[in-house]
Structure formats: structure tokens, C-alpha cells
Amino acid sequence: MKILYYSPHPTHDIVSEVGYATHQRETIIALEQLGHEVLPVIMGGATREDLLYEGGKASDPSGFRGFLKRLLPSFIWVSIRDLLVMRHDTHAGERLEKAIQEFQPDLIYERSEYLQDSGIKPAQKHRIKYYLEVNAPFVEEMKAMQGYSIWLWLGHRKERKKYKAADKIFVVSTGLKDFLIRRYKVDSHKIVVSPNRINKEKFLERAALPLSFEVNFRNEAPIIGFVGSILPHHHLDLLIEGFAEIIHKGLEANLLIVGEGTHRDVLQELVKQRKVEDRVIFTGKVPFEQVPAIINCMDICVMSGSNWYGSPIKIFEYGILGKSVIAPRTEPVSEVMTDGVDGILVEQNKKDIAQALEKLIIDKDYRERLGQSFKEKIIREYQWKHAAEMIVD
């Protein structure tokens, strides 16, 4: 088949070292490996030189736009930004129309985005099958992230319109499927649950690379690790509190926190307050290519927080390296991991995390069994080729 992969978001490129870019790249590659011809139409940019659209530049917080943003009430600024997103979507639709005429696809596969519905008219005009990938409850997510906008009502209308037009809708969790059915009255038969996946070969290849920096703890105790952005919603404070609890009980362990973010200073202060500075290392930002190798240094990998709808790629990165995983007992995680078989699922509190850490530190055989079980499951079911096969089928 000829598949046109469409991403209308104005800044989500395909080359960044973040989840959305990985998802786009790996889906396209997997479809091509199945023998299909794929044309990416990525409005956020397909190369690092093409990331900005219409000559725009990222705002300088010290410049005029930064001053204006501080001066205006937040809902006005957010509403203006939403208006610019919709204006961009008109341009995106024109580019999509041109690509359809030149490529003549059998399928349009669109990565759905907030306030953007430019894929509908071209698909209907040319009578092309139209698939939609949905990764979040967009209107609710944007309201939580950026605050109130006068265009939220229109966001809901556009979501309803897209779901009605789509031939199939791919969501990353059953929770998100149920939300679409409940909030937008979507036909359940349209919706396919397809969690995030991993590129096994690429990740294992990078895991074998030597680290360009050293991780030096004072002892040979098991290393507990986290890799990702250091932001409040990842609840790393719970991990640190749980870790401190087992250390003060007399267990031997180290904690490695890999990544950067706005919450790092707060967490480093918490480490001092809990008197575990000699057991904790913050690496800061690590090159993307080095992430698999540094995960390989860990014995126990933790994801201490997640939301109700998202499918975290991080647990698959931990699991493909055979590491025992502690993850939150959310519906998306529970759909891919069985508690006590593939890992330990916990409520998002320090007590549960501490108990899980203690169990895995004490019982090395148990943690190795969990790691191997999840690794085998990922190889069987959770590689990007499995997602591509689902789309094609």
C-alpha cells in the first residue's frame, strides 16, 4: 500500500529525542519494513533544519513576546496561542492536499492533535481511508497543562468531528478508549487499543555501547534507577522517600536518577533532608544514544508516576534489557504488565514503592525472574512491528 503518514502539529518534529518523535519514526519505519511505501507529511519538521514553520522562531522569554506573555492574563495568551494553532492547521491542510495529489495514497494515517482537523476534508474529498491515532484526551490535557482557553468548546467540537470521520481510531489504552466512547459517543467498533512499543534491535545495540561518563557509587549494592524528565508528574519525590525508608531500615542500595527538568533542585533538597546524599546520583541530561547503556547499569528500574490514559514507553525500555520494573498500577500499565509476573505494580505512594524496593533488593532471583518474564513478553507482543501489523491488518 501507499500510506501517507500525517502529523499536523506545528512544532512536533520527527527527529527529537522525545516520545512523540520516537512514536512517529518507529511507526513509519515499521510500516516500511512490512513492504509498504510511506510518505511522511510532518508539519513540525522532518529534519533539524526544517523544525520551524512559516519562518517562526521560539519565543525568547527575555524579549517582547516574553514581556507580553507576563503582562497579559494567562487565558488571553493561551487563547491567542490556540488561535495561531488553528491558523497553522489551515496551512497544514493545504500541504496535505498537495501531498495527496502527488502521492495518491491508499491510506491517510494521522497522528491526531489538539484543535487540528485538517485531515478530514482531503480524505473525504479524495475518498481515501482515514485512520486516526489518539494519544491523549486532548482538550482535557491541554486545559490541565496550559490553563483555560476561550477555544476549549471548539476543541471538543473538532474532536467529535474527527472521530466521526475516521474509519479507525488507534488509542494507546483501554482507559482512553472508554473516555472517547463516554465523552464523544464514538462507536466502540471503530476503536483499536494499541499501546506504545519499542525497537528491540536498536535498543539492544545501543545498550552494548560503552558509557562516555562514569557512575561511581561507594559500594557494590544494587542500583535502583529512573530515566526521564524530572518533572512533578513523574512523582520522583515518592521514589526518593521510598528509597530513604529502606536505607534507614539498613538495606544496602543506591539510587541513580537520569535526566533533567524543572523539579531537580527540589528533589536534590529532598535527598539532603532525608540524609541519603551519599547513596544518590543525579546525572543530569544524558545523550539519547547513551540511555540504553545507562539503563544496563541498573538492577531495578522504577517509574513512580504516570497518568490514567498514557502508555509509557519507559517501561518497555526498562523491560527489553531484562530489568525488574516497579511501575504504577494504572490501567495502561496493567494492560501490558502482570503484577508479580512481569514486574511489581504499586499505588502511587512512598509506602508501596518502599515495599517493592525491599522485596527486589532482598530477593535477587525474584527480580531476575520478573525481568526475564517481561522481556520475553515485549519481544512477543510489544515491538513497533506489532503496531504496524495491527494498522495494516
Side-chain angles (χ1 to χ4, degrees), residues 259-389:
E260 193 54 88
T262 57
H263 213 47
R264 178 175 172 177
D265 290 346
V266 174
L267 295 178
Q268 287 179 316
E269 181 60 32
L270 178 61
V271 167
K272 291 179 182 177
Q273 292 173 5
R274 302 297 280 119
K275 296 180 170 52
V276 289
E277 306 101 302
D278 60 330
R279 301 297 187 102
V280 181
I281 291 178
F282 289 82
T283 68
K285 185 175 175 59
V286 168
F288 185 66
E289 294 76 13
Q290 293 268 277
V291 167
I294 200 165
I295 292 175
N296 234 2
C297 297
M298 301 170 183
D299 300 287
I300 301 166
C301 294
V302 182
M303 183 176 181
S304 44
S306 189
N307 55 45
W308 60 266
Y309 57 84
S311 174
I313 291 178
K314 195 58 57 190
I315 60 173
F316 299 114
E317 294 178 341
Y318 294 158
I320 198 63
L321 295 178
K323 305 301 176 179
S324 57
V325 179
I326 299 172
R329 196 188 300 274
T330 61
E331 186 172 20
V333 174
S334 298
E335 287 177 338
V336 300
M337 294 181 68
T338 301
D339 184 32
V341 176
D342 307 310
I344 298 182
L345 304 187
V346 297
E347 301 302 327
Q348 297 183 57
N349 61 65
K350 64 180 182 180
K351 180 181 176 182
D352 274 23
I353 291 173
Q355 290 176 345
L357 289 173
E358 182 175 356
K359 186 180 297 185
L360 293 176
I361 289 168
I362 292 173
D363 194 339
K364 181 180 179 181
D365 290 339
Y366 179 55
R367 72 173 184 250
E368 289 179 350
R369 269 199 320 274
L370 294 183
Q372 187 59 31
S373 174
F374 193 34
K375 179 177 180 178
E376 290 171 359
K377 179 184 280 188
I378 292 170
I379 292 171
R380 287 195 312 269
E381 303 176 37
Y382 296 110
Q383 299 184 64
W384 287 112
K385 66 179 182 180
H386 298 129
E389 287 167 354

Side-chain angles (χ1 to χ4, degrees), residues 115-213:
L115 279 176
Q116 293 164 87
D117 60 356
S118 53
I120 299 174
K121 285 185 179 179
Q124 293 178 336
K125 174 184 174 182
H126 296 279
R127 298 183 179 180
I128 302 169
K129 193 173 287 291
Y130 177 55
Y131 285 2
L132 202 63
E133 176 192 298
V134 180
N135 294 285
F138 293 113
V139 180
E140 285 75 7
E141 183 182 65
M142 293 306 293
K143 184 178 179 181
M145 291 173 60
Q146 66 180 20
Y148 179 76
S149 165
I150 62 173
W151 303 108
L152 290 177
W153 67 272
L154 185 56
H156 284 301
R157 177 180 290 183
K158 286 177 178 286
E159 291 303 295
R160 192 174 292 109
K161 182 180 175 184
K162 283 188 289 188
Y163 302 144
K164 183 178 180 180
D167 294 290
K168 286 289 180 184
I169 301 167
F170 292 81
V171 297
V172 292
S173 68
T174 300
L176 191 51
K177 173 183 177 178
D178 293 342
F179 171 82
L180 296 187
I181 294 170
R182 184 175 64 252
R183 180 67 177 82
Y184 298 108
K185 312 302 180 188
V186 181
D187 180 356
S188 63
H189 295 97
K190 276 189 176 185
I191 306 176
V192 179
V193 177
S194 180
N196 282 322
R197 311 301 214 281
I198 194 167
N199 185 322
K200 176 176 73 78
E201 288 76 17
K202 184 184 296 183
F203 212 78
L204 293 179
E205 180 181 322
R206 288 179 174 175
L209 296 175
L211 280 175
S212 58
F213 56 95

